[in-house]
Amino acid sequence: MSKAMRQMPERTGRVCVAHGEAVRYPISDEAGDPLSEHRDTGSAKLKVGTGGLLEAALTRENLQVAWKRVKANKGAAGVDGLDIEHTAQTIRRHWSEIRQELLAGTYRPSPVRRVMIPKPDGSQRELGIPTVLDRLIQQALLQVLQPLIDPTFSEHSHGFRPGRRAHADAVKAARAYVQSGKRVVVDVDLAKFFDRVNHDILIDRLRRRTDDAEIVRLIRAYLNAGIMDGGVVSERHMGTPQGGPLSPLLANVLLDEVDKVLEARGYSFARYADDCNVYVGTLSA
């Protein structure tokens, strides 16, 4: 639903719950403890042609940075009840087997744990909290995917993008539109967007941006992992619950199509996740 207003919006989008940052790392075939510090750990560009994106995501260097990000974001345990410390112990004991399952395409993500948090308007937002292990894997995937995918997004998209000031940049763009005379604001809020994402359409849009079948297959497994509420796991055939590191990137993959349509029609707009403001000069526009 959308509505027109003759004022500048106080808020252009929502504050993210947790997100990651993109970095690039070299390919490595190390399959040992990925959490132990390594003297070669550090930022470096992804080496093209030496392996697939999934292998790049699972290097020790990439995983160490992903683990630091997951620890920094803290957060509650998932359906397995394991916190950061206990998950670290599990990873150190079983990483070799987990890595092999990931590379073989047999890894099955755990369901996310359903949590409802209040919103300022009195309604509630659904979060899906992955296990700490799955947050680590998702963050590792994000770090190799985001440098490839993010540059293809619209300049009018401000939410969950590395190197941007997110909300501040969206507000700055909004002020510039208003100062240019476009004082009528159409506030577009895609209600329940995250709950209604069509998995098939999302995967199709993702394939247009990466042809890495292993990565796409694993992301599909995360979309289909299900959600646990009150001890009962329900299958999900649509939706991408907020709460995992990959969720914001996947949302932008899908919503970038909206951005491109608005650009093609010449509209001035600013989008932050599933909130979008379109600026026009008159009500008739």
Side-chain angles (χ1 to χ4, degrees):
M1 180 178 293
S2 61
K3 55 185 178 181
M5 303 176 290
R6 283 189 176 272
Q7 61 183 18
M8 181 174 168
E10 296 180 359
R11 175 179 65 92
T12 312
R14 296 172 180 156
V15 178
C16 64
V17 176
H19 65 279
E21 295 182 356
V23 288
R24 302 186 182 190
Y25 295 94
I27 298 296
S28 169
D29 60 0
E30 297 178 35
D33 175 10
L35 307 186
S36 296
E37 291 296 332
H38 188 273
R39 64 183 178 86
D40 293 330
T41 299
S43 179
K45 290 186 177 180
L46 181 66
K47 292 182 180 178
V48 179
T50 55
L53 287 177
L54 184 56
E55 288 185 24
L58 298 180
T59 61
R60 179 184 295 182
E61 293 85 355
N62 192 53
L63 287 164
Q64 284 176 1
V65 176
W67 181 247
K68 289 178 180 178
R69 174 61 58 183
V70 170
K71 288 177 66 178
N73 283 337
K74 299 179 181 179
V79 297
D80 60 0
L82 299 180
D83 59 15
I84 296 286
E85 181 180 349
H86 289 94
T87 299
Q89 296 173 9
T90 298
I91 292 173
R92 290 190 171 101
R93 288 196 303 266
H94 302 291
W95 178 249
S96 179
E97 302 98 294
I98 295 169
R99 183 176 185 274
Q100 287 304 314
E101 289 181 3
L102 287 164
L103 291 173
T106 57
Y107 179 80
R108 293 296 176 263
S110 298
V112 296
R113 181 168 61 85
R114 186 172 184 257
V115 175
M116 303 300 294
I117 61 172
K119 296 172 63 175
D121 62 4
S123 62
Q124 291 187 314
R125 175 184 295 136
E126 178 183 286
L127 296 185
I129 308 300
T131 63
V132 177
L133 172 60
D134 282 325
R135 297 207 293 271
L136 169 65
I137 296 169
Q138 285 194 35
Q139 178 66 32
L141 293 175
L142 177 70
Q143 290 170 185
V144 297
L145 283 174
Q146 200 158 45
L148 300 176
I149 295 177
D150 186 84
T152 69
F153 291 151
S154 167
E155 289 300 309
H156 299 277
S157 171
H158 300 282
F160 314 114
R161 302 187 63 184
R164 293 172 180 255
R165 295 177 300 168
H167 188 264
D169 285 345
V171 171
K172 181 179 178 180
R175 286 175 177 165
Y177 294 142
V178 171
Q179 290 170 359
S180 71
K182 297 178 179 179
R183 301 180 182 277
V184 177
V185 184
V186 180
D187 183 9
V188 182
D189 187 355
L190 304 175
K192 301 289 185 181
F193 167 78
F194 287 95
D195 299 334
R196 297 173 180 173
V197 170
N198 182 294
H199 292 177
D200 291 333
I201 294 176
L202 175 56
I203 290 298
D204 176 72
R205 301 302 184 269
L206 184 62
R207 285 197 181 107
R208 296 181 186 182
R209 298 171 189 271
T210 174
D211 58 358
D212 192 298
E214 294 176 320
I215 288 281
V216 172
R217 179 175 57 198
L218 181 54
I219 290 177
R220 182 88 195 211
Y222 274 112
L223 292 174
N224 295 338
I227 188 165
M228 178 179 285
D229 186 17
V232 178
V233 177
S234 301
E235 293 184 354
R236 290 186 73 104
H237 302 290
M238 64 170 55
T240 170
Q242 300 174 77
L246 277 175
S247 180
L249 178 67
L250 296 179
N252 276 335
V253 165
L254 200 54
L255 288 171
D256 186 62
E257 198 160 304
V258 175
D259 298 339
K260 295 302 194 293
V261 170
L262 292 174
E263 287 176 348
R265 296 181 179 182
Y267 285 117
S268 298
F269 68 97
R271 182 177 65 79
Y272 189 103
D274 55 341
D275 288 332
C276 180
N277 291 333
V278 180
Y279 299 82
V280 294
T282 64
L283 286 173
S284 61

